[in-house]
C-alpha cells in the first residue's frame, strides 16, 4: 500500500466521508443531554458495525461507552483506539457565525460543535480503518475501540469502566486522536498529559447581603477574605504556597528536555493565535511551563452584584472556582487534602468542595513502539513529527498507563486554532482527511512492525 493509493481512495470518497461526519456532528450530544447522548451512541454503533466492527454499548453509572473490536487470532499486535463522542455546550450562542449543529464548510474549514473536539478526529480514525479495508481487506493488527460520552465532564466513570474491564481492554498500545496540532502546523506526537484538580472555596460572612453604608466597617466583606486566602496560596511569581504541593513531582529527564528544546517556537505567531500580546519568554521556558510544571488557576469568582444598576451592598458570600493542572506523579487526591489543610489553617469556616480530577500520565519516549508511530506519522505528512513528552491539557490518559500498564500515544489531527470549547469551533478539511490518511498508514506500519518483531 502506498500513500498515493490512500489518496486515491480519499478523493473517491471525499463527499461520502464528509457526509458521514456531518451526520455525526448534527447530533447535539452535549454531555449533560442524556437523550442526545443516547442517540449519538446509537449512530456511532451503527457506523462502526458498517465497518464490520463488533460493537456494543456498555453501560456505566453515567453516559455509556461505545465499545468495539476487530479481532483476528493470527494478528500479534493489538491497538486500542480511544476517543469521545460527547461535546461541550455551545453558549454564548450569539457569537457563532452559523448554527453549531448544522455543520458547514467556510474557507476550507468545517464549522460545528465537536468538529475538532472530538467527533471529527474520532471519525477520521474510523474512516482510516475503512480506507485500509477498501485497499487491502483484512487488517494486519487487532483493533479495539473505546469511545466514551463523558470526557467533557471529566471522564467521571471511565476509570471504573477500565478497571472493571482490564482483560477486555488488554492491548499493546493505546492511540488517541485528540487535542490541537502544533501552532507551526507540524505533526505532533504527545507522550502524556497533565492531570487536573477542580475545586471550589466558599466564604460566608453574614446570613444575607448588607447595605454597604449602614454596615460598612462592621460586616466583613467575603471577597476581601477570599483575596487574602488566595494570596496565601500563590506568590507573585506563580509559585504555589500550599505545603507539600511540589512533593513527588517527576523531574523531566534529559531526553524530555532535549525534546522540548527541539520544538519550534515562534513567539509572534503564538501571541497572535492565543490573543495574548504580553507573552515574553524563550521557547524552552514556554514548553517547560506548558508541559512539565503544575498550575494554580482561578477559573472564576462569584460574589455580590455587577449589573448595570447601582447596588451598594456588602455581599454575604464569595465563591472561587479553582483548577490545578498537575504533572507526572502528582496525585490529585493528595493535593486536595493538602489544599483542605491549608484552608483550614487560614479559616476553618471556609468550605472547600471537590469538583473532579484526572491523574497525569507519561509514556517513556525511548520505547520502540514510539519510534514506530513517529516514523509512520512522519511518512504520512512528509514532515518529521514533533515529539512532546506531555500535552498542556488533560485527558484520562492515566487509565491506560496506570490501570492497564499500556503505553499511550496522543496524535492530534485538529488544527491549532480549532477553537474547541469556544464559539466557531472548526476543523480544517485538510486536517480531517490528513487524519484519515494517518490512521490508515499507522495500521499498515504497526502490522509490518509486529511481523518483524
Amino acid at each position: 500500500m502506498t500513500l498515493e493509493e490512500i489518496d486515491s481512495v480519499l478523493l473517491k470518497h471525499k463527499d461520502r466521508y464528509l457526509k458521514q461526519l456531518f451526520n455525526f456532528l448534527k447530533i447535539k450530544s452535549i454531555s449533560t443531554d442524556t437523550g442526545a447522548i443516547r442517540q449519538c451512541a446509537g449512530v456511532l454503533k451503527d457506523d462502526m458495525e458498517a465497518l464490520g466492527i463488533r460493537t456494543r454499548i456498555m453501560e456505566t453509572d453515567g453516559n455509556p461507552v461505545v465499545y468495539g473490536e476487530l479481532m483476528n487470532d493470527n494478528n500479534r499486535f493489538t491497538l486500542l483506539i480511544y476517543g469521545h463522542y460527547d461535546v461541550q455546550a455551545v453558549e454564548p450562542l450569539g457569537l457563532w457565525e452559523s448554527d453549531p449543529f448544522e455543520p458547514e464548510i467556510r474557507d476550507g474549514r468545517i464549522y460545528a460543535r465537536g468538529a475538532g473536539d472530538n467527533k471529527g478526529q474520532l471519525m477520521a480514525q474510523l474512516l482510516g480503518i475503512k480506507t485500509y479495508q477498501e485497499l487491502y481487506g483484512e487488517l494486519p493488527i487487532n483493533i479495539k475501540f473505546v469511545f466514551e460520552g463523558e470526557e467533557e465532564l471529566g471522564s467521571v466513570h471511565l476509570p471504573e469502566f477500565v478497571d472493571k474491564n482490564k482483560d477486555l481492554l488488554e492491548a499493546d498500545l493505546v492511540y488517541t486522536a485528540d487535542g490541537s496540532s502544533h501552532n507551526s502546523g507540524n505533526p505532533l506526537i504527545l507522550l502524556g498529559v497533565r492531570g487536573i484538580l477542580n475545586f471550589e472555596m466558599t466564604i460566608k460572612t453574614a446570613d444575607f447581603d448588607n447595605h454597604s453604608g449602614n454596615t460598612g466597617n462592621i460586616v466583613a466583606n467575603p471577597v476581601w477574605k477570599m483575596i487574602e486566602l488566595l494570596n496565601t496560596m500563590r506568590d507573585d511569581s506563580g509559585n504555589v504556597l500550599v505545603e507539600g504541593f511540589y512533593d513527588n513531582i517527576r523531574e523531566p529527564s534529559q531526553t524530555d528536555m532535549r525534546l522540548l528544546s527541539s520544538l519550534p517556537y515562534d513567539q509572534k505567531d503564538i501571541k497572535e493565535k492565543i490573543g495574548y500580546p504580553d507573552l515574553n519568554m524563550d521557547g524552552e521556558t514556554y514548553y517547560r511551563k506548558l508541559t512539565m510544571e503544575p498550575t494554580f488557576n482561578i477559573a472564576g469568582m462569584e460574589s455580590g452584584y455587577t449589573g448595570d444598576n447601582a447596588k451598594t451592598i456588602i455581599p454575604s458570600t464569595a465563591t472561587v472556582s479553582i483548577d490545578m493542572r498537575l504533572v507526572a506523579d502528582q496525585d490529585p487526591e493528595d493535593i486536595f487534602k493538602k489544599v483542605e489543610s491549608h484552608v483550614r489553617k487560614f479559616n476553618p469556616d471556609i468550605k472547600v468542595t471537590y469538583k473532579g480530577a484526572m491523574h497525569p500520565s507519561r509514556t517513556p519516549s525511548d520505547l520502540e513502539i514510539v519510534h514506530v508511530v513517529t516514523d509512520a506519522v512522519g511518512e504520512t505528512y512528509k514532515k518529521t513529527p514533533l515529539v512532546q513528552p506531555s500535552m498542556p491539557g488533560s485527558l484520562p490518559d492515566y487509565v491506560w498507563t496506570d490501570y492497564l500498564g499500556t503505553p499511550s500515544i496522543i496524535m492530534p489531527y485538529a488544527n491549532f486554532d480549532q477553537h474547541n470549547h469556544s464559539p466557531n469551533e472548526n476543523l480544517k478539511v485538510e486536517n480531517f482527511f490528513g487524519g484519515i490518511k494517518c490512521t490508515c498508514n499507522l495500521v499498515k506500519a504497526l502490522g509490518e512492525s509486529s511481523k518483524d518483531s
Side-chain angles (χ1 to χ4, degrees):
M1 179 177 65
T2 66
L3 295 176
E4 289 72 22
E5 288 174 321
I6 299 176
D7 287 334
S8 68
V9 174
L10 297 186
L11 183 61
K12 175 183 175 183
H13 296 310
K14 180 178 180 181
D15 291 342
R16 194 167 81 182
Y17 283 2
L18 284 171
K19 182 180 180 181
Q20 186 166 339
L21 172 62
F22 278 30
N23 288 338
F24 195 38
L25 292 171
K26 287 179 179 180
I27 305 171
K28 301 178 181 180
S29 56
I30 297 168
S31 309
T32 52
D33 187 333
T34 304
I37 281 288
R38 292 279 169 180
Q39 179 192 0
C40 193
V43 169
L44 181 55
K45 179 176 183 287
D46 291 343
D47 285 346
M48 292 167 66
E49 288 178 336
L51 298 177
I53 301 170
R54 292 180 55 195
T55 308
R56 52 182 159 142
I57 293 176
M58 300 181 68
E59 298 299 332
T60 72
D61 288 336
N63 296 337
V65 168
V66 182
Y67 173 79
E69 55 184 35
L70 283 165
M71 305 294 287
N72 184 328
D73 290 340
N74 295 323
N75 292 333
R76 300 168 58 186
F77 187 92
T78 299
L79 175 69
L80 191 155
I81 290 177
Y82 164 77
H84 66 93
Y85 63 89
D86 63 318
V87 300
Q88 284 269 326
V90 297
E91 286 77 13
L93 188 58
L95 295 182
W96 285 83
E97 294 181 17
S98 56
D99 188 325
F101 292 108
E102 287 295 333
E104 63 177 56
I105 296 176
R106 301 193 304 271
D107 299 321
R109 296 173 184 247
I110 304 162
Y111 285 88
R113 175 57 90 221
D117 186 16
N118 177 246
K119 288 181 174 180
Q121 303 196 64
L122 183 161
M123 189 58 66
Q125 294 183 94
L126 288 179
L127 293 176
I129 306 301
K130 180 182 180 67
T131 299
Y132 187 98
Q133 289 173 325
E134 177 156 335
L135 282 167
Y136 269 93
E138 195 168 284
L139 299 176
I141 60 173
N142 298 320
I143 305 183
K144 299 177 179 180
F145 304 84
V146 173
F147 298 135
E148 69 157 319
E150 293 185 322
E151 194 275 343
E152 301 296 0
L153 296 176
S155 299
V156 184
H157 297 101
L158 185 66
E160 182 182 12
F161 173 83
V162 174
D163 194 42
K164 284 183 176 179
N165 294 283
K166 287 180 181 178
D167 292 340
L168 178 69
L169 303 177
E170 186 177 349
D172 297 293
L173 174 69
V174 177
Y175 183 77
T176 302
D178 201 350
S180 302
S181 59
H182 193 266
N183 67 289
S184 66
N186 283 39
L188 176 65
I189 289 173
L190 300 160
L191 302 179
V193 300
R194 288 198 291 193
I196 190 170
L197 169 64
N198 294 312
F199 61 91
E200 285 183 351
M201 299 186 294
T202 300
I203 298 175
K204 181 178 180 180
T205 55
D207 291 337
F208 48 81
D209 295 349
N210 271 267
H211 188 292
S212 65
N214 293 345
T215 60
N217 292 336
I218 305 301
V219 174
N221 188 306
V223 180
W224 286 118
K225 289 287 186 182
M226 185 65 76
I227 291 171
E228 290 168 7
L229 168 60
L230 292 170
N231 281 332
T232 71
M233 301 179 78
R234 184 180 181 273
D235 66 20
D236 292 340
S237 299
N239 299 308
V240 179
L241 304 177
V242 175
E243 185 177 352
F245 179 79
Y246 293 102
D247 293 351
N248 306 318
I249 288 179
R250 189 189 310 175
E251 290 298 320
S253 67
Q254 290 184 346
T255 302
D256 291 336
M257 294 310 298
R258 178 179 55 78
L259 291 171
L260 292 180
S261 64
S262 68
L263 296 173
Y265 178 69
D266 184 333
Q267 183 172 281
K268 181 176 181 296
D269 181 60
I270 294 174
K271 281 182 181 181
E272 293 173 355
K273 286 181 175 174
I274 67 174
Y276 182 57
D278 293 334
L279 177 66
N280 183 25
M281 61 182 68
D282 59 49
E284 184 175 327
T285 302
Y286 173 82
Y287 287 115
R288 189 185 72 247
K289 286 182 172 294
L290 266 183
T291 64
M292 297 292 169
E293 295 183 7
T295 72
F296 185 127
N297 178 58
I298 299 173
M301 184 181 288
E302 182 177 358
S303 184
Y305 176 78
T306 58
D308 295 333
N309 301 314
K311 190 176 182 183
T312 52
I313 60 167
I314 300 172
S316 57
T317 63
T319 298
V320 63
S321 178
I322 301 292
D323 71 78
M324 291 176 164
R325 300 287 171 163
L326 308 177
V327 295
D329 296 342
Q330 281 187 301
D331 181 346
E333 183 179 347
D334 173 63
I335 298 297
F336 183 70
K337 289 178 180 177
K338 289 171 178 175
V339 168
E340 285 186 306
S341 177
H342 182 98
V343 174
R344 193 162 48 244
K345 290 176 183 176
F346 178 83
N347 185 337
D349 294 328
I350 295 174
K351 183 179 179 182
V352 184
T353 305
Y354 172 88
K355 290 295 184 179
M358 276 186 197
H359 288 253
S361 72
R362 198 176 302 164
T363 290
S365 58
D366 56 358
L367 296 180
E368 178 60 29
I369 193 64
V370 173
H371 300 303
V372 173
V373 174
T374 302
D375 290 344
V377 171
E379 181 184 25
T380 302
Y381 292 96
K382 295 182 170 59
K383 292 181 179 178
T384 301
L386 306 173
V387 181
Q388 194 168 299
S390 177
M391 71 182 289
S394 302
L395 287 172
D397 197 54
Y398 72 97
V399 298
W400 319 122
T401 57
D402 293 359
Y403 288 23
L404 299 184
T406 306
S408 175
I409 292 176
I410 301 164
M411 168 63 200
Y413 292 161
N415 35 291
F416 179 79
D417 54 349
Q418 62 169 304
H419 295 295
N420 50 329
H421 294 204
S422 299
N424 302 307
E425 180 179 347
N426 66 87
L427 176 67
K428 288 183 178 180
V429 174
E430 65 177 315
N431 284 65
F432 175 58
F433 284 97
I436 298 173
K437 185 175 180 179
C438 185
T439 303
C440 185
N441 196 47
L442 177 64
V443 169
K444 168 178 170 281
L446 291 174
E448 292 173 349
S449 173
S450 64
K451 289 179 181 177
D452 292 341
S453 61

